[in-house]
């Protein structure tokens, strides 16, 4: 064994035995010696949320919640961030944290599904962006190599932003900028913090970008809001330790894989809480406590003021409650959606109504019955016997437009004409007005494997999808498809092929899809592909525009 390679529990800095679960690799850099001078203005210390118990929520599926607030931690300007050149690094192996039913494969695969009759959307992939990030950027820019990338991507019509662990980049049109460290961006006052799971959204209603990342050292999420529409300008920063102490949670515990969503009034955050009673961080012994929700006052974030928010204790019967990226400018209800870990036939939803510090009502809606889903098998790839880790069947992303909402996941299925269970993309289309399932669409093909789908709305009635694909004769690649709401998806189209096998044992954990503001027939897709960027882990990402007509 390479003496620089150690097996550790996820984000735990102490050495442990190698676990039996799916592994995630990270090359931890030497201590990042960034100066707080990269911040604009003064940086406050960690602004920890202090809980204030609310009067509760209304009856009828009501979910108990609590109130808290967090002060502005400081500001940062992307254009003036310093570049860090690491001097040393080491490798650590860490597991994917899963829900209580996710460890076993379903006994039988869900069917591949049938297409709804109707004309197909024509899908045309444009030229991918040059300079998309890879693990070599993690090494040279941030001093830490990490797999998988955990893709964040957003566009405002003139600029595009990609975030991976642990590096970001901004394009002006198709011209790439200089990669920057997310440690210096999200945590300039504590650049040595352990960070993971970035996300970014463009909010057309406010004309701002919203972004977030899990800070394991903090025990919570760092959230950033651009002060203008220019992502290279100044951002407001908030350091939000998860306030719950239920069941012995200490200093926030391990609020894993946070994902954000924005509507006209609030910013929603959903995550999975893991913890060991009396211990902080994410030690290998941490167990699943439940899904958590936080809802923040959006206008206060935009103003750089102290932000009021509502939070739940961990909900043990929920896993990966993902907030919707709400594209309707006037929407005042934020939806969260989830699936059962491991296998199931229902889709769960939670609504958030109200703006903190006023009463916020969190309520569970009636479940919607959907075609069965189950954990996917790993995917073969060209040139190696090492398979691509396709994760589990957790909710990947949620997007809402009016009463329409899409929920995506990777599932096990048998494609039409196939006899083998493969990993497939699944897109559920839900009508929140009538509380019904409009369509369930499965992205599959005999002999091929699809994984990590993400969806967005294109114009007013088309669903655009980003998805990964591989087979025994093809490296991991980025694909796309689209279809009219309630109709069939077009045959998947390749956006960018992979150029090498990924032998890290980890992939994903999620892709991204984003609308192109100002266009009614265009959207962006982004995700991991097989590549050679990096020294030991070697992977690339790709991002490109797509036209649906």
């Amino acid at each position: 064994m390479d003496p620089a390679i150690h097996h550790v529990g996820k984000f735990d800095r102490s050495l442990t035995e190698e676990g039996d679960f799916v592994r995630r690799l990270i090359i931890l850099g030497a201590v990042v010696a960034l100066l707080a001078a990269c911040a604009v203005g003064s940086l406050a210390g960690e602004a920890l949320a202090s809980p204030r118990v609310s009067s509760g929520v209304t009856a009828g599926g009501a979910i108990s919640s609590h109130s808290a607030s967090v002060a502005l931690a400081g500001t940062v300007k992307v254009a003036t961030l310093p570049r860090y050149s690491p001097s040393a690094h080491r490798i650590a192996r860490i597991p994917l944290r899963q829900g209580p039913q996710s460890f076993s494969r379903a006994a039988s695969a869900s069917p591949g599904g049938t297409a709804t009759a109707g004309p197909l959307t024509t899908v045309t992939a444009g030229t991918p962006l040059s300079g998309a990030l890879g693990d070599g950027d993690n090494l040279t820019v941030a001093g830490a190599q990490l797999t998988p990338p955990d893709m964040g991507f957003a566009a405002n019509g003139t600029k595009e932003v990609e975030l991976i662990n642990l590096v970001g980049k901004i394009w002006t049109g198709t011209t790439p900028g200089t990669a920057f460290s997310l440690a210096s961006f999200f945590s300039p006052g504590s650049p040595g913090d352990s960070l993971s799971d970035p996300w970014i959204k463009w909010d057309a209603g406010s004309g701002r970008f919203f972004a977030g990342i899990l800070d394991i050292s903090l025990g919570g999420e760092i959230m950033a809001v651009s002060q203008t529409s220019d992502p290279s300008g100044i951002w407001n920063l908030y350091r939000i330790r998860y306030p719950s102490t239920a069941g012995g949670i200490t200093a926030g515990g391990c609020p894993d894989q946070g994902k954000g969503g924005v509507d006209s009034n609030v910013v929603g955050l959903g995550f999975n809480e893991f913890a060991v009673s009396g211990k902080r961080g994410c030690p290998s012994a941490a167990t699943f406590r439940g899904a958590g929700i936080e809802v923040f006052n959006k206008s206060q974030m935009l103003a750089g003021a102290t932000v009021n928010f509502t939070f739940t204790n961990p909900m043990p019967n929920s896993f990966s409650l993902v907030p919707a990226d709400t594209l309707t400018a006037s929407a005042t209800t934020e939806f969260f959606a989830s699936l059962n870990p491991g296998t199931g036939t229902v889709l769960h939803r939670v609504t958030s109504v109200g703006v903190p510090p006023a009463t916020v009502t969190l309520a569970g809606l009636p479940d919607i019955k959907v075609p069965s889903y189950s954990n996917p098998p790993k995917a073969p790839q060209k040139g190696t016997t090492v398979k691509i880790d396709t994760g589990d069947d957790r909710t990947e992303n949620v997007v809402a437009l009016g009463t329409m909402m899409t929920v995506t996941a990777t599932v096990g299925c048998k494609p039409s004409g196939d006899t083998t269970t493969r990993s497939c993309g699944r897109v559920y289309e839900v009508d929140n007005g009538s509380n019904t399932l409009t369509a369930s669409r499965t992205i599959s093909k005999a002999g091929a494997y699809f994984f990590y789908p993400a969806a967005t709305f294109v114009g007013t009635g088309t669903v655009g999808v980003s998805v990964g694909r591989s087979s025994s004769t093809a490296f991991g690649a980025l694909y796309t498809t689209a279809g009219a709401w309630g109709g069939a998806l077009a045959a998947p189209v390749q956006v960018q092929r992979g150029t090498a096998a990924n032998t890290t044992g980890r992939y994903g954990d999620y892709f991204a899809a984003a609308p192109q503001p100002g266009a009614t027939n265009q959207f962006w897709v982004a995700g991991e592909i097989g590549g050679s960027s990096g020294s030991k882990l070697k992977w690339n990402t790709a991002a490109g525009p797509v036209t649906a007509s």
Side-chain angles (χ1 to χ4, degrees):
M1 177 182 295
D2 186 330
I5 299 178
H6 303 284
H7 304 292
V8 301
K10 187 174 186 183
F11 311 125
D12 187 7
R13 295 178 180 176
S14 62
L15 301 181
T16 65
E17 293 183 333
E18 181 175 3
D20 294 326
F21 305 133
V22 178
R23 294 297 176 183
R24 186 178 188 180
L25 298 167
I26 178 172
I27 298 183
L28 302 176
V31 176
V32 184
L34 294 172
L35 299 176
C38 65
V40 178
S42 62
L43 279 173
E46 290 182 1
L48 305 182
S50 55
R52 293 178 286 111
V53 178
S54 80
S55 58
V57 294
T58 59
I63 297 171
S64 177
S65 65
H66 310 273
S67 298
S69 63
V70 59
L72 179 72
T75 57
V76 65
K77 187 174 183 180
V78 174
T80 59
L81 291 176
R83 186 180 181 90
Y84 172 66
S85 297
S87 59
H89 63 270
R90 67 184 178 90
I91 300 177
R93 293 179 182 265
I94 44 186
L96 173 70
R97 293 194 177 274
Q98 299 179 296
Q101 299 177 42
S102 294
F103 306 119
S104 61
R105 302 295 180 186
S108 59
S110 55
T114 57
T116 303
L120 291 177
T121 299
T122 300
V123 179
T124 305
T127 302
L129 292 175
S130 62
L133 297 169
D135 202 47
D137 297 293
N138 276 337
L139 177 60
T140 60
V141 176
Q145 290 190 80
L146 179 70
T147 184
D150 297 341
M151 172 64 66
F153 189 91
N156 69 358
T158 60
K159 294 190 176 184
E160 302 83 44
V161 186
E162 179 187 8
L163 303 182
I164 63 168
N165 285 318
L166 296 162
V167 181
K169 181 177 280 190
I170 298 170
W171 284 258
T172 301
T174 59
T175 302
T178 301
F180 56 91
S181 165
L182 295 192
S184 63
F185 171 65
F186 280 108
S187 191
S190 302
D193 282 8
S194 297
L195 307 177
S196 184
D197 303 333
W199 56 269
I200 185 167
K201 307 287 183 182
W202 165 253
D203 177 49
S206 63
R208 307 282 189 90
F209 287 94
F210 289 79
I213 198 166
L214 168 64
D215 186 330
I216 299 93
S217 307
L218 171 68
E221 195 86 0
I222 301 177
M223 299 181 74
V225 185
S226 65
Q227 291 189 0
T228 69
S229 62
D230 183 4
S232 63
I234 300 174
W235 294 63
N236 298 330
L237 297 175
Y238 291 91
R239 296 173 59 86
I240 308 140
R241 175 174 288 166
Y242 181 38
S244 178
T245 58
I249 294 173
T250 301
C254 180
D256 188 48
Q257 204 174 104
K259 293 184 177 181
V262 183
D263 74 4
S264 63
N265 292 327
V266 301
V267 180
L269 183 73
F271 52 88
N272 294 317
E273 176 66 11
F274 294 83
V276 174
S277 297
K279 292 186 178 181
R280 63 185 301 160
C282 302
S284 58
T287 57
F288 177 67
R289 298 300 184 86
I293 286 176
E294 293 175 342
V295 178
F296 301 87
N297 183 307
K298 177 182 172 183
S299 63
Q300 292 172 340
M301 277 192 165
L302 292 170
T306 293
V307 173
N308 295 101
F309 69 99
T310 295
F311 70 94
T312 68
N313 288 327
M315 295 174 279
N317 294 324
S318 296
F319 184 73
S320 289
L321 269 167
V322 176
D325 188 18
T326 305
L327 304 183
T328 305
S330 59
T332 57
T333 298
E334 177 65 20
F335 284 84
F336 295 75
S338 71
L339 303 170
N340 291 333
T343 185
T345 58
V346 293
L347 184 150
H348 312 284
R349 294 169 301 152
V350 169
T351 56
S352 171
V353 179
V355 183
T359 299
V360 173
T361 301
L362 297 174
L365 300 181
D367 288 341
I368 293 179
K369 187 172 179 59
V370 298
S372 63
Y373 49 86
S374 59
N375 282 333
K378 294 182 179 181
Q381 56 184 322
K382 179 181 176 181
T384 180
T385 58
V386 177
K387 294 184 176 182
I388 288 176
D389 175 20
T390 59
D392 54 24
D393 62 355
R394 72 183 66 195
T395 303
E396 291 289 336
N397 92 317
V398 182
V399 182
L401 178 65
T403 62
M404 301 180 293
M405 185 173 76
T406 64
V407 179
T408 64
T410 307
V411 302
C413 85
K414 288 183 180 179
S416 177
D418 209 334
T419 58
T420 301
T421 299
R422 307 188 188 276
S423 60
C424 306
R426 177 66 58 83
V427 181
Y428 294 117
E429 297 180 352
V430 174
D431 186 332
N432 284 324
S434 60
N435 294 317
T436 58
L437 179 70
T438 299
S440 172
R441 308 195 289 189
T442 302
I443 305 168
S444 63
K445 182 180 180 180
Y449 293 75
F450 292 89
F451 33 81
Y452 300 115
T456 190
F457 284 98
V458 188
T460 58
T462 299
V463 177
V465 182
S466 170
V467 67
R469 181 187 187 274
S470 77
S471 70
S472 59
T473 60
F475 301 125
L478 176 63
Y479 273 67
T480 185
T481 181
W485 177 261
L489 290 172
V493 174
Q494 182 174 272
V495 177
Q496 188 158 336
R497 68 182 183 89
T499 58
N502 182 314
T503 58
T504 68
R506 292 290 280 114
Y507 207 92
D509 273 325
Y510 44 89
F511 282 27
Q516 173 70 314
T520 59
N521 65 342
Q522 294 180 334
F523 65 104
W524 289 89
V525 296
E528 182 175 3
I529 61 173
S532 57
S533 175
S535 63
K536 287 183 179 291
L537 303 185
K538 297 183 184 299
W539 51 260
N540 287 77
T541 66
V546 181
T547 300
S549 57

